[in-house]
Amino acid sequence: MAMKFKHKRFENFVPKKTVYRASVADRVISVVIYLVYAIFAFVCVYPFYYIFINTISNNDMSARGKVIFLPHEIHFNNYAQVLKIEGIGQALKISLERTVIGTLLTLLVAAFLGFMFTRESLWHRKLWFRIVAATMYFNAGIIPTYITMMNLGLLNNFWVYIFPVAVQPFYIILCKTYVESVPKELQDAAEIDGAGTLLLFFKIIIPVIKPILATIAIFAAVAQWNSFQDTLIYVTDKRLFPLQYLLYTYMNSASSLKALVSSTASATSLAASLAHAQTATSIRMTVTMVVVAPIMLVYPFFQRYFTKGIMIGAVKG
Amino acid sequence: MQRTSLTKRQIRGYREFLYVLPFLILVLIFSYYPLYGWVYAFFDYKPPKPLSESTFVGLKWFKSMVENEVKRKQLVSVLRNTFAMSGISLFFSWFPMIFAIFLNEIKCKPYKKFVQTVTTLPNFVSWVLVYAVAYNVFSNSGALNSLLKEWGWITKPIDFLESTSHIWFKMWLWLTWKNAGWASIMYLAAISGIDEEYVEAAKVDGASRMKIIWHITIPGILPTYFVLVMLNLASFLSNGMEQYYVFQNPFNKEFVQVLDLYVYNLAMGSGGYPLSTAFSILKSLVSVLLLFLTNFASKKIRGESII
């Protein structure tokens, strides 16, 4: 900034950025703002960092609360061990399956219905659209929904994670708005060439609406990965628990965790030193890291899609 | 010619309806059919006995909410918690806006981008993970207590999670930690929509930064704030249950049991099916009513609807 003030000659060339002299008060404000946001950033990042350094540190020190800012005696034994705990591998598989299948189905439905609801030829188009959109504003409640799932045979069934969330009105509206913003000539031209509705959808619409599909995909995937309530209500079969649910049970069962720890310790090798032996804390933290890692890894690359999503949502809302 | 082309179009319309039908059936099954389950609120229903063998009791369960001494006390405490949580959220609803305004004052682009990225991250972790984080940092053996002990400030660990002091405020803090960064994006978008000319003109006139914020930025994004407050009001009864479910423990339960969690706890308790359903019905009706009221208010005040 200081450099710019000196080159007065250039001011005229950039009329948009009128240079003005920052007062002392303004500078103080600047410093305060930078500091305050540094604190906000720290508060958001440190907890994850803290958990991470504890999972790769000497477990004995970690259990005694000695690992605060820097890792000590780095090792990755915890991750190797945690994946051996009974149930975690299975839970990881369930989490991945529901995320992949659920996202694909939600995406397909959103794109297809979003497109179909723009088709003026569709019989009673507006009525169907209203019926779907209205579901955003009411909910039958836990028991009626539970009994419905029971009648459909979806209790303790993997598909309870998929079908109830397949039709998402909000995503459908996003797709519909997007398709409406695409020039109609594109569709008309294809139709003159004899393309049917489905061909039109797969060959013309899907390639064109890819940007919005990317945004929806990332939201749907995060929602599936994070979902916990459906397991809580509809599932008691341990083989169907996703990671989120398993983590929750671990947070609340120190005693059973200890049992897990001793069983895995004896199962692997007694030679494992105290520093690398799993503790209840180390297991909790490592599982936390395993659950949060995919989001941490994906997030920075897809942030623009997230941001775009909320913007479009804002325009609609 | 005209007639045949019209019929062709109609045939295509019916065919397209057939394509859509499977998804409409999904909607009917998962969103509309459960509404039929509201009848359970009017029966003395106890699973596994089927509904056909249960006795019709009319409004008995609705009446019991207020007539039964124990249930009335519960209801009062649940409503108190719900109103407290929603009230605090509403009271501090300006926070994401202020967060966005000052974030926008940061002129160093990479730093601004960094802060924005980092503060939105918690929005994408589940409540279970938030609780895991809370547990790891604030429990008796967590980071904070370890640090305080090491510095010699305390001798006994502080019970951040189990103690009930400032419990509502703490719950709000977690909610804010998770949501504020994300909520501020909408305001940042609104700020970038403000015409640069105003700001430049004010600068030429020698307005200070605070003056520009007060007279230009805030009025510019107030409409966005208004819409969000209206939506907040419309969902006053819906705090969601996940946050309170994961944070509840025997010590704080009395203060964190909000309506959504109460409906769940009733449902999972023995014999609570009809009563839980009765609460669901009332909540749905009040929520829809609130939505219409806020929408109406919005139309009156700003001439725009929010839904």
Side-chain angles (χ1 to χ4, degrees):
Chain A
M1 278 305 273
M3 287 295 284
K4 270 189 187 161
F5 288 111
K6 280 178 194 158
H7 295 290
K8 282 229 156 90
R9 270 194 313 141
F10 292 112
E11 274 179 38
N12 299 334
F13 295 105
V14 277
K16 268 238 108 178
K17 287 187 179 168
T18 319
V19 176
Y20 71 103
R21 189 163 286 279
S23 70
V24 177
D26 277 359
R27 282 190 200 168
V28 172
I29 291 171
S30 278
V31 173
V32 172
I33 290 174
Y34 274 73
L35 285 178
V36 169
Y37 280 96
I39 295 172
F40 280 131
F42 176 80
V43 166
C44 289
V45 165
Y46 176 72
F48 298 112
Y49 173 75
Y50 169 79
I51 296 171
F52 178 65
I53 58 170
N54 271 282
T55 60
I56 58 168
S57 293
N58 178 320
N59 283 343
D60 184 39
M61 285 181 78
S62 155
R64 284 189 286 127
K66 296 290 179 203
V67 182
I68 304 272
F69 293 113
L70 287 172
H72 291 281
E73 301 168 32
I74 295 176
H75 70 98
F76 294 95
N77 201 27
N78 285 334
Y79 289 90
Q81 291 303 320
V82 147
L83 291 177
K84 281 186 201 155
I85 292 182
E86 203 198 334
I88 288 198
Q90 174 67 10
L92 181 63
K93 189 172 146 250
I94 293 287
S95 279
L96 288 174
E97 276 173 2
R98 67 174 292 176
T99 302
V100 171
I101 300 174
T103 305
L104 285 179
L105 186 62
T106 302
L107 206 56
L108 183 73
V109 173
F112 188 61
L113 287 191
F115 165 60
M116 290 309 277
F117 287 144
T118 66
R119 299 285 292 170
E120 271 158 32
S121 50
L122 172 63
W123 183 61
H124 282 306
R125 175 177 70 110
K126 283 200 174 136
L127 176 67
W128 309 131
F129 176 63
R130 284 197 190 126
I131 284 179
V132 172
T135 59
M136 279 197 287
Y137 301 108
F138 69 87
N139 184 332
I142 288 178
I143 290 298
T145 317
Y146 178 84
I147 290 169
T148 305
M149 300 300 175
M150 190 169 72
N151 292 341
L152 294 170
L154 283 175
L155 297 185
N156 282 328
N157 184 330
F158 174 77
W159 296 100
V160 79
Y161 297 142
I162 310 293
F163 286 128
V165 292
V167 184
Q168 298 277 353
F170 182 63
Y171 298 155
I172 292 171
I173 293 174
L174 288 187
C175 281
K176 178 171 177 276
T177 317
Y178 202 92
V179 173
E180 277 163 354
S181 74
V182 174
K184 200 94 173 86
E185 287 76 22
L186 210 59
Q187 289 184 41
D188 292 343
E191 271 184 285
I192 289 168
D193 289 347
T197 314
L198 292 182
L199 196 66
L200 199 63
F201 173 66
F202 285 110
K203 288 272 153 85
I204 309 286
I205 298 298
I206 287 201
V208 172
I209 65 171
K210 261 186 196 152
I212 190 73
L213 290 184
T215 302
I216 295 174
I218 204 83
F219 273 99
V222 170
Q224 277 287 359
W225 181 262
N226 279 343
S227 186
F228 153 78
Q229 204 171 327
D230 42 15
T231 313
L232 182 69
I233 298 174
Y234 309 121
V235 176
T236 48
D237 182 351
K238 282 196 171 121
R239 281 168 306 159
L240 291 175
F241 286 169
L243 273 180
Q244 299 283 347
Y245 192 78
L246 215 59
L247 175 63
Y248 176 75
T249 57
Y250 284 179
M251 299 312 295
N252 282 300
S253 56
S255 51
S256 60
L257 260 188
K258 287 225 177 77
L260 266 181
V261 173
S262 51
S263 74
T264 44
S266 60
T268 51
S269 76
L270 290 166
S273 68
L274 187 64
H276 288 182
Q278 271 61 55
T279 62
T281 318
S282 79
I283 291 186
R284 266 194 206 111
M285 288 186 169
T286 312
V287 177
T288 306
M289 248 14 252
V290 171
V291 178
V292 85
I295 291 182
M296 290 277 194
L297 293 179
V298 156
Y299 181 68
F301 300 104
F302 289 94
Q303 203 217 0
R304 61 200 181 97
Y305 291 116
F306 285 117
T307 313
K308 203 169 5 176
I310 200 175
M311 303 288 197
I312 305 165
V315 173
K316 276 310 291 174
Chain B
M1 187 65 196
Q2 179 101 43
R3 270 185 64 106
T4 47
S5 74
L6 204 70
T7 1
K8 235 184 207 168
R9 194 183 145 88
Q10 272 175 347
I11 289 170
R12 192 174 62 192
Y14 293 139
R15 202 172 50 225
E16 285 176 345
F17 171 67
L18 285 182
Y19 296 153
V20 175
L21 188 62
F23 305 107
L24 291 178
I25 290 174
L26 272 185
V27 173
L28 290 181
I29 290 176
F30 289 112
S31 294
Y32 287 91
Y33 172 67
L35 291 177
Y36 166 73
W38 280 8
V39 297
Y40 289 101
F42 304 95
F43 283 86
D44 215 347
Y45 175 68
K46 275 208 183 76
K49 206 166 70 170
L51 188 66
S52 52
E53 288 167 28
S54 311
T55 20
F56 179 79
V57 291
L59 293 176
K60 174 184 157 191
W61 297 108
F62 290 89
K63 283 182 190 152
S64 81
M65 289 175 194
V66 284
E67 280 172 2
N68 180 319
E69 182 80 18
V70 182
K71 290 205 179 104
R72 188 169 61 224
K73 273 200 183 136
Q74 256 174 359
L75 179 63
V76 168
S77 119
V78 164
L79 284 181
R80 179 198 62 195
N81 298 339
T82 307
F83 279 62
M85 287 317 307
S86 295
I88 293 175
S89 291
L90 205 60
F91 183 78
F92 287 111
S93 56
W94 46 266
F95 182 77
M97 179 169 75
I98 300 298
F99 186 92
I101 289 174
F102 286 102
L103 183 60
N104 196 56
E105 289 296 306
I106 292 177
K107 296 295 175 238
C108 171
K109 282 271 158 63
Y111 183 61
K112 184 176 162 185
K113 179 100 184 135
F114 168 75
V115 171
Q116 203 188 331
T117 306
V118 159
T119 52
T120 31
L121 181 63
N123 186 62
F124 295 100
V125 302
S126 63
W127 275 114
V128 176
L129 273 167
V130 173
Y131 179 67
V133 164
Y135 191 93
N136 286 317
V137 176
F138 289 101
S139 70
N140 292 350
S141 58
L144 191 58
N145 273 318
S146 306
L147 206 58
L148 290 178
K149 250 195 274 184
E150 192 151 310
W151 289 345
W153 289 12
I154 54 166
T155 47
K156 259 200 335 209
I158 303 171
D159 253 337
F160 292 105
L161 293 174
E162 293 188 344
S163 95
T164 54
S165 60
H166 310 107
I167 181 76
W168 292 328
F169 187 67
K170 280 191 276 191
M171 286 292 130
W172 175 78
L173 278 179
W174 283 114
L175 189 66
T176 303
W177 182 74
K178 194 173 187 304
N179 288 344
W182 178 245
S184 71
I185 291 181
M186 208 128 46
Y187 292 109
L188 283 173
I191 292 174
S192 65
I194 295 173
D195 198 340
E196 274 286 307
E197 303 270 312
Y198 293 119
V199 181
E200 292 303 322
K203 278 180 186 169
V204 170
D205 289 347
S208 72
R209 245 158 122 174
M210 297 311 281
K211 278 216 163 126
I212 292 175
I213 289 175
W214 186 250
H215 292 289
I216 296 171
T217 315
I218 291 187
I221 61 179
L222 225 43
T224 309
Y225 177 65
F226 179 83
V227 171
L228 291 176
V229 165
M230 283 296 169
L231 287 174
N232 249 344
L233 270 176
S235 58
F236 201 79
L237 291 183
S238 315
N239 308 94
M241 62 165 265
E242 279 198 34
Q243 178 187 3
Y244 307 96
Y245 180 81
V246 295
F247 274 94
Q248 77 177 341
N249 57 47
F251 307 96
N252 66 17
K253 192 172 174 182
E254 194 192 336
F255 297 99
V256 299
Q257 186 165 254
V258 294
L259 194 53
D260 284 327
L261 182 57
Y262 184 51
V263 170
Y264 169 81
N265 285 341
L266 274 178
M268 293 300 137
S270 56
Y273 278 35
L275 186 62
S276 171
T277 310
F279 271 112
S280 291
I281 294 174
L282 287 183
K283 204 202 120 183
S284 284
L285 295 181
V286 173
S287 295
V288 169
L289 188 71
L290 275 177
L291 187 70
F292 278 115
L293 279 178
T294 48
N295 199 37
F296 177 75
S298 172
K299 267 186 195 159
K300 277 274 167 220
I301 300 168
R302 290 182 57 242
E304 269 177 54
S305 65
I306 51 170
I307 48 172

